[in-house]
């Protein structure tokens, strides 16, 4: 295999102790054959040819390689004869553009090949200078829990998934804060209704996209845990690692439930906004009706006194005074009555 131009990071441990890092991708298969070795390789936006070469060398299933190339592959975990393949998505929220209804959700596809003694990660980033998924967080997680690495490739996989789920939690928290901001603006008469509608629509889109990523994660973690149980691995070390995966599974469940609750909240905000608009419209209609009634009384009085037929006060100053008093008195009475009922 020729040295790729693709950014590559590598590490190797022997019996849980870091032995080497930054070695060429060509050495991965050789190090995997060493007794007690645990190897990790990370590729950022690799080409199809490089993936095909790596798949031939390490024995990856061609269907898994095709899933790496696909851009819209769903979150999943698939077990093959020689390895387990996992597709997950790291998430983040981009900057908000005023007046825009386009989703701010940023996604980074993370494809993971889990071998018995190694892990290969393939990341897809639209902007390599500002990646959504920071692989340095994964490396720090491994360094902070170095004692787990003696348990093999499942320990490496746990570190990757843990960072992915933590990032999803951060995204959900930001969406939660944004929805609370919408709730504050619902009952603010000075808030711009059109902007509130745009923000509500955008948040609904973002939650739908995030839900498609978060909910399948429970099946991913469950599949990994189930494979260990089916293999009959009941050693002390395996039980310890399973407890870490159980904690990860609990986080995934919480993320899914939180996403579902936020979807209910944004639906409630949307429906409440519509109800408040109807209530405001009714208030406006009552005010217009009240003022129309007040204006109609002077029109009625002046129209009556404008008839060209004799009536009490006809062609006399008292008729002018009487019509003015009736108009003003009736208008004031109507105003006070409507005001008392909060119609105006």
């Amino acid at each position: 295999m020729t040295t790729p131009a693709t950014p590559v990071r590598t590490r190797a441990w022997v019996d849980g102790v870091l032995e080497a890092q930054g070695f060429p991708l060509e050495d991965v298969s050789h190090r995997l054959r060493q007794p007690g070795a645990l190897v990790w390789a990370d590729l950022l936006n690799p080409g199809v040819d490089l993936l095909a070469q790596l798949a031939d060398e390490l024995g990856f299933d061609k269907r898994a390689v095709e899933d790496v190339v696909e851009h819209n592959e769903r979150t999943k975990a698939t077990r093959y004869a020689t390895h387990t393949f996992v597709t997950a998505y790291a998430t983040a929220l981009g900057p908000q553009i005023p007046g825009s209804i386009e989703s701010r959700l940023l996604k980074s596809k993370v494809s993971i090949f889990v071998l018995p003694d190694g892990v290969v990660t393939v990341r897809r980033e639209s902007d390599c200078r500002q990646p959504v998924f920071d692989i340095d967080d994964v490396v720090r997680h491994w360094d902070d829990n170095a004692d787990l690495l003696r348990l093999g490739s499942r320990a490496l996989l746990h570190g990757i998934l843990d960072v992915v789920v933590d990032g999803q939690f951060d995204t959900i928290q930001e969406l939660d804060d944004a929805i609370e901001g919408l709730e504050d603006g619902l009952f603010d008469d000075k808030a711009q209704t059109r902007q509130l509608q745009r923000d509500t629509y955008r948040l609904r889109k973002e939650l739908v996209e995030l839900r498609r990523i978060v909910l399948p994660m429970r099946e991913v973690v469950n599949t990994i845990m189930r494979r260990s149980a089916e293999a009959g691995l009941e050693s002390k070390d395996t039980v310890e690692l399973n407890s870490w995966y159980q904690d990860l599974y609990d986080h995934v469940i919480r993320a899914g439930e939180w996403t579902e609750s936020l979807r209910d909240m944004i639906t409630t905000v949307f429906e409440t906004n519509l109800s408040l608009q109807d209530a405001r419209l009714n208030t406006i209609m009552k005010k217009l009706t009240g003022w129309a009634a007040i204006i109609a009384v002077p029109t009625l009085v002046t129209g009556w006194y404008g008839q060209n037929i004799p009536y009490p006060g006809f062609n006399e100053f008292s008729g002018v005074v009487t019509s003015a008093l009736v108009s003003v008195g009736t208008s004031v009475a109507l105003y006070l009555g409507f005001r008392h009922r909060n119609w105006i």
Side-chain angles (χ1 to χ4, degrees):
M1 184 187 300
T2 59
T3 303
T6 301
V8 176
R9 296 185 63 171
T10 53
R11 274 196 171 196
W13 298 263
V14 176
D15 296 328
V17 179
L18 181 63
E19 182 185 65
Q21 58 182 333
F23 51 85
L25 194 61
E26 294 86 344
D27 294 347
V28 170
S29 57
H30 170 70
R31 291 183 178 275
L32 283 172
R33 292 191 291 267
Q34 296 179 357
L38 180 63
V39 181
W40 167 64
D42 174 73
L43 290 77
L44 177 60
N45 295 338
V48 177
D49 294 338
L50 176 59
L51 284 175
Q53 295 177 27
L54 189 63
D56 292 339
E57 184 172 338
L58 301 180
F60 295 156
D61 191 281
K62 64 179 182 179
R63 291 168 294 179
V65 177
E66 291 174 356
D67 289 342
V68 174
V69 178
E70 291 291 333
H71 293 286
N72 296 318
E73 190 64 29
R74 68 180 182 88
T75 302
K76 66 178 182 179
T78 307
R79 296 184 294 175
Y80 295 101
T82 58
H83 64 279
T84 298
F85 176 73
V86 177
T87 300
Y89 288 88
T91 61
L93 281 183
Q96 181 173 348
I97 302 176
S100 174
I101 60 174
E102 295 300 322
S103 173
R104 300 170 298 159
L105 187 66
L106 304 177
K107 299 180 292 184
S108 173
K109 182 180 179 182
V110 184
S111 303
I112 311 168
F113 295 90
V114 186
L115 299 165
D117 298 314
V119 169
V120 176
T121 55
V122 181
R123 295 179 289 132
R124 295 291 183 185
E125 295 281 0
S126 58
D127 188 353
C128 297
R129 293 170 298 179
Q130 295 181 340
V132 176
F133 182 65
D134 191 355
I135 198 65
D136 290 333
D137 289 341
V138 177
V139 174
R140 283 191 290 269
H141 183 281
W142 289 337
D143 292 339
D144 293 339
N145 302 277
D147 57 317
L148 287 179
L149 299 183
R150 57 185 171 79
L151 304 180
S153 59
R154 290 179 68 240
L156 293 178
L157 177 61
H158 174 273
I160 299 171
L161 295 181
D162 190 60
V163 173
V164 168
V165 173
D166 286 345
Q168 293 174 356
F169 256 102
D170 293 339
T171 304
I172 297 172
Q173 179 65 64
E174 291 184 53
L175 290 176
D176 193 352
D177 295 339
I179 293 175
E180 288 184 0
L182 289 182
E183 292 176 338
D184 295 337
L186 274 178
F187 304 98
D188 185 2
D189 294 335
K190 298 181 180 180
Q192 298 182 2
T193 303
R194 184 175 296 274
Q195 184 62 40
L196 184 65
Q197 292 172 341
R198 288 177 175 271
D199 292 343
T200 302
Y201 179 76
R202 188 194 67 248
L203 284 171
R204 290 184 71 177
K205 288 178 60 176
E206 293 166 354
L207 278 172
V208 169
E209 294 179 20
L210 185 61
R211 181 174 178 271
R212 294 172 182 170
I213 294 173
V214 172
L215 290 187
M217 284 297 295
R218 66 180 67 180
E219 185 59 30
V220 169
V221 179
N222 192 34
T223 298
I224 298 170
M225 296 172 62
R226 188 169 60 246
R227 181 168 190 180
S228 175
E230 291 174 355
L233 302 176
E234 298 295 340
S235 66
K236 179 180 178 181
D237 291 342
T238 303
V239 171
E240 178 184 357
L241 185 56
N242 285 343
S243 66
W244 284 78
Y245 269 98
Q246 185 61 53
D247 181 69
L248 177 63
Y249 185 72
D250 292 340
H251 288 177
V252 170
I253 293 295
R254 285 176 53 202
E257 292 175 348
W258 197 357
T259 305
E260 290 294 317
S261 66
L262 288 184
R263 189 176 67 159
D264 294 338
M265 287 177 61
I266 196 65
T267 300
T268 302
V269 169
F270 180 76
E271 294 175 349
T272 303
N273 184 34
L274 292 179
S275 299
L276 290 175
Q277 288 186 52
D278 291 339
R280 293 188 183 106
L281 179 60
N282 291 335
T283 301
I284 293 173
M285 292 302 298
K286 287 192 296 184
K287 290 182 178 181
L288 291 176
T289 303
W291 284 111
I294 293 174
I295 295 172
V297 170
T299 304
L300 174 63
V301 174
T302 55
W304 171 263
Y305 279 91
Q307 298 179 95
N308 294 320
I309 57 175
Y311 56 86
F314 183 72
N315 287 333
E316 296 180 7
F317 180 73
S318 60
V320 177
V321 175
T322 302
S323 64
L325 290 177
V326 171
S327 298
V328 173
T330 308
S331 298
V332 170
L334 287 173
Y335 175 80
L336 293 177
F338 291 151
R339 189 69 175 176
H340 178 70
R341 292 175 174 81
N342 292 324
W343 285 11
I344 57 176

